Amino acid sequence: MVARVIPVSPFDLVIFGATGDLARRKILPGLFHRFKVEQMPEDARIIGAARSEFDSAAFRKVVRESLEQFVGEADRPANTVEQFLERIDYVNVDAMGDKGWDALSDLLREDKVRAFYFSVTPSLFGTLAEQLHKRGIATPESRIVVEKPFGHDLETAKALNADLLKCFNEEQIYRIDHYLGKETVQNLMALRFANSLFEPLWNSTHIDHVQITVAESLGVEGRGEYYDNSGAMRDMVQNHLMQLLCLIAMEPPSRFEPNAVRDEKVKVIEALEPVAPDDIVRGQYYDWNNRVGYKDHAGNPESRTESFVAMKVAVANWRWAGTPFYLRTGKKLRTRMSEIAVIFRDPPHMIFPKMEGRRGNALVIRLQPDEGITLRTTIKEPGPGGMRLTEVAMDMTFDDALGEDLHAQDAYERLIMDVIRGDQTLFMRGDEVESAWAWADPLIENWKNSTQRPASYDSGGSGPEESMMLMHQDGRRWRSVGQ
Ligand code: NAP
């Protein structure tokens, strides 16, 4: 299958924080890929903006080095790189001051889509919005892209929303959660809403439970100080896992249109029951061999910040009453993997002999590695040995089914093109972010007031024993985190 590339309208994309890690690692390489496949039209331009004293030529050198570092050699023919660099300019702008704004304004063209990517520290989001607004650089059609984290809690998220809304309409604000840009996540919607196969089964009558796992093998080395102020709940659960939960649990929207989709997601968050203290486990990793753990990496011997969370969540509505959602995320686990597993109930009456170790039907949506979908089914074991059953996985790895080129895009490049197209479907609306914080805040507050320490778990393992118990006490078990 060949990827269909539909060119976007000509644009001026300004990247504030263009010299930073995210821009060099994700945004610029992503734009290069889109350029290479000719999705960027002739007169599209990228304008880097930061305080570093570069001119455009010096910045292009930074971009070239970033591409050398983050794009495989075979994927960056020299002439394509040179043509891409010709599309790039740089202005030396200080978000906090007066420097560079006139130069930026002069560079922007009247008749092009205007987008401003805030790839800077969140403390500058409000200031940038105000600068763009008061200097008349943002037009009513301009878009801003806001990176995560979006607030630290409900109060700060509300304040940030209010700051942005002073200068931009909600329709102009694109709050990024890069999980939503993953091919598999979008496929989850296609799977549910473009097929008649699953939807009749998509409820508590047929689904026993859902497991959502986002496991990372790295620890917090190098960003311990930042992470210690955040923790897994703020860093992963409130945003990424919540988004995945919403897409699994939401009602079919009436149209595939940004507000219709986001309305349904907000309803899921608002239907979440408060999580009972016994239904949530937090942990911190520790490497017993090397006698080093989370607290060392965080540089805080007294830290109670969680590098792991597992919890049981209930969605209180007709569709899901009686079907728990188990969420789990952690650092320094056995492997890096993310998946959603929908575990179906057993048939109401089994006519075959009991099968040892039977796990039943499961639909597993893999986000990483090897994005794809697996359907576990029970079949007859081949051979003349009577009616013995076995389980097989019908596996669709997207690389195999669709071709590597087609879906190898990074989430960022897809999302940036959506911004240019003006499609907000895969971006979080302000009330969505606030609802997610309103749900997460009391849990974090409870921990703050608790004398209980996070449970310790082995680096390279599957998380604390207590998280296994969370499942066992319900007669269920987690799927394995890698082999
Ligand atoms: P970073 O490496 O620290 O880069 C920050 C950028 O902001 C630099 O280009 C810096 O350049 C610029 N900057 C700082 N102060 C400025 C000012 N007053 N005016 C104009 N530019 C200024 O940060 P990052 O890792 O790229 O992260 C950027 C944003 O993305 C943050 O909100 C972060 O939370 C979010 N994010 C990052 C990642 C990631 O993987 N890195 C992942 C998810 C989300 P100068 O010093 O030259 O001004």
Side-chain angles (χ1 to χ4, degrees):
M1 205 182 284
V2 178
R4 266 199 313 145
V5 176
I6 302 166
V8 294
S9 305
F11 61 83
D12 282 341
L13 171 66
V14 179
I15 307 172
F16 290 105
T19 55
D21 176 67
L22 183 69
R24 284 185 294 108
R25 220 157 37 82
K26 292 285 184 188
I27 303 172
L28 290 160
L31 285 163
F32 172 71
H33 285 136
R34 295 295 91 206
F35 174 78
K36 203 177 110 187
V37 298
E38 297 176 7
Q39 192 165 29
M40 268 173 65
E42 273 293 302
D43 45 1
R45 268 192 337 191
I46 299 160
I47 300 161
R51 290 168 308 176
S52 300
E53 303 273 351
F54 291 134
D55 56 17
S56 290
F59 180 63
R60 286 182 195 133
K61 199 160 161 267
V62 173
V63 180
R64 182 184 284 112
E65 284 163 8
S66 305
L67 299 182
E68 281 164 8
Q69 201 175 348
F70 299 111
V71 179
E73 198 170 349
D75 288 331
R76 51 175 162 85
N79 58 339
T80 316
V81 171
E82 292 316 312
Q83 286 161 6
F84 176 66
L85 294 177
E86 283 170 20
R87 304 296 183 86
I88 295 182
D89 283 308
Y90 180 83
V91 277
N92 180 208
V93 179
D94 183 356
M96 303 292 286
D98 292 326
K99 191 169 178 191
W101 292 100
D102 290 343
L104 175 61
S105 181
D106 291 345
L107 269 179
L108 297 172
R109 299 163 297 171
E110 282 302 320
D111 54 341
K112 309 289 180 247
V113 172
R114 219 173 254 198
F116 302 95
Y117 198 128
F118 294 0
S119 181
V120 293
T121 173
S123 59
L124 290 179
F125 293 166
T127 314
L128 278 177
E130 196 191 334
Q131 292 272 30
L132 290 169
H133 179 67
K134 81 172 184 209
R135 293 171 189 276
I137 296 176
T139 61
E141 292 77 34
S142 296
R143 289 138 210 187
I144 56 169
V145 185
V146 188
E147 259 303 331
K148 82 164 221 189
F150 198 91
H152 188 71
D153 51 22
L154 178 59
E155 196 186 327
T156 49
K158 274 186 167 170
L160 182 50
N161 271 332
D163 281 349
L164 298 182
L165 287 166
K166 272 186 224 152
C167 311
F168 294 90
N169 300 324
E170 182 62 42
E171 288 64 38
Q172 297 177 280
I173 305 172
Y174 291 71
R175 296 175 194 79
I176 278 218
D177 183 328
H178 72 274
Y179 262 60
L180 291 178
K182 288 181 184 285
E183 185 79 3
T184 331
V185 172
Q186 291 166 73
N187 239 312
L188 184 55
M189 285 191 274
L191 195 75
R192 283 195 60 194
F193 305 133
N195 295 286
S196 53
L197 195 61
F198 296 109
E199 199 51 31
L201 305 178
W202 214 257
N203 53 52
S204 59
T205 309
H206 301 287
I207 295 179
D208 178 72
H209 72 281
V210 176
Q211 302 185 14
I212 302 178
T213 300
V214 177
E216 296 176 281
S217 52
L218 296 178
V220 300
E221 305 93 326
R223 61 189 280 258
E225 201 182 318
Y226 160 79
Y227 191 88
D228 208 41
N229 256 318
S230 167
M233 190 72 182
R234 288 191 168 99
D235 196 44
M236 298 298 288
V237 179
Q238 182 273 346
N239 39 50
H240 304 321
L241 276 83
M242 182 60 67
Q243 287 297 320
L244 300 180
L245 169 65
C246 285
L247 294 176
I248 287 282
M250 70 195 256
E251 293 300 314
S254 52
R255 295 172 304 283
F256 190 63
E257 183 261 290
N259 279 332
V261 172
R262 298 185 298 177
D263 284 346
E264 295 306 334
K265 282 162 60 193
V266 171
K267 284 185 208 162
V268 173
I269 306 175
E270 287 176 349
L272 294 177
E273 297 261 28
V275 180
D278 285 352
D279 286 339
I280 185 161
V281 172
R282 57 180 174 151
Q284 280 180 344
Y285 62 80
Y286 192 76
D287 175 351
W288 288 95
N289 290 332
N290 298 310
R291 305 262 159 203
V292 60
Y294 171 79
K295 289 181 202 162
D296 305 287
H297 292 158
N300 177 5
E302 297 304 319
S303 175
R304 289 185 181 202
T305 302
E306 72 290 354
S307 60
F308 176 99
V309 190
M311 65 175 83
K312 179 162 89 169
V313 174
V315 182
N317 61 20
W318 274 44
R319 187 186 284 265
W320 295 116
T323 294
F325 289 73
Y326 297 90
L327 314 184
R328 163 177 70 156
T329 183
K331 299 211 169 280
K332 277 272 187 231
L333 295 176
R334 189 173 301 130
T335 190
R336 177 168 179 258
M337 58 86 91
S338 305
E339 66 168 35
I340 303 166
V342 178
I343 315 291
F344 290 87
R345 294 193 194 280
D346 283 338
H349 171 64
M350 193 46 122
I351 61 170
F352 301 110
K354 193 171 177 336
M355 177 193 149
E356 276 312 309
R358 183 173 188 280
R359 291 169 298 166
N361 294 139
L363 178 71
V364 180
I365 299 131
R366 286 191 308 277
L367 276 66
Q368 63 193 21
D370 303 329
E371 278 190 88
I373 294 171
T374 302
L375 183 63
R376 189 174 64 211
T377 48
T378 305
I379 59 160
K380 179 192 167 294
E381 197 177 290
M387 193 62 186
R388 287 194 316 265
L389 302 180
T390 188
E391 290 183 328
V392 291
M394 294 202 273
D395 192 9
M396 186 175 86
T397 299
F398 289 162
D399 272 358
D400 301 339
L402 305 174
E404 218 169 306
D405 284 355
L406 188 58
H407 99 279
Q409 298 169 26
D410 187 81
Y412 276 93
E413 50 190 285
R414 185 187 317 271
L415 292 173
I416 296 171
M417 290 300 111
D418 279 359
V419 174
I420 305 298
R421 269 192 290 266
D423 183 348
Q424 288 186 304
T425 311
L426 299 175
F427 295 83
M428 293 179 296
R429 208 168 55 191
D431 57 341
E432 206 178 334
V433 182
E434 289 182 15
S435 304
W437 278 122
W439 170 82
D441 271 1
L443 300 172
I444 298 169
E445 192 60 28
N446 259 353
W447 286 336
K448 223 164 71 187
N449 301 326
S450 160
T451 50
Q452 216 175 6
R453 298 193 152 275
S456 180
Y457 64 95
D458 290 342
S459 293
S462 316
E465 196 50 40
E466 289 81 345
S467 68
M468 306 299 152
M469 290 308 296
L470 186 71
M471 281 283 204
H472 290 172
Q473 70 196 10
D474 293 345
R476 302 181 174 111
R477 61 185 165 135
W478 288 108
R479 286 169 51 81
S480 148
V481 180
Q483 295 315 310

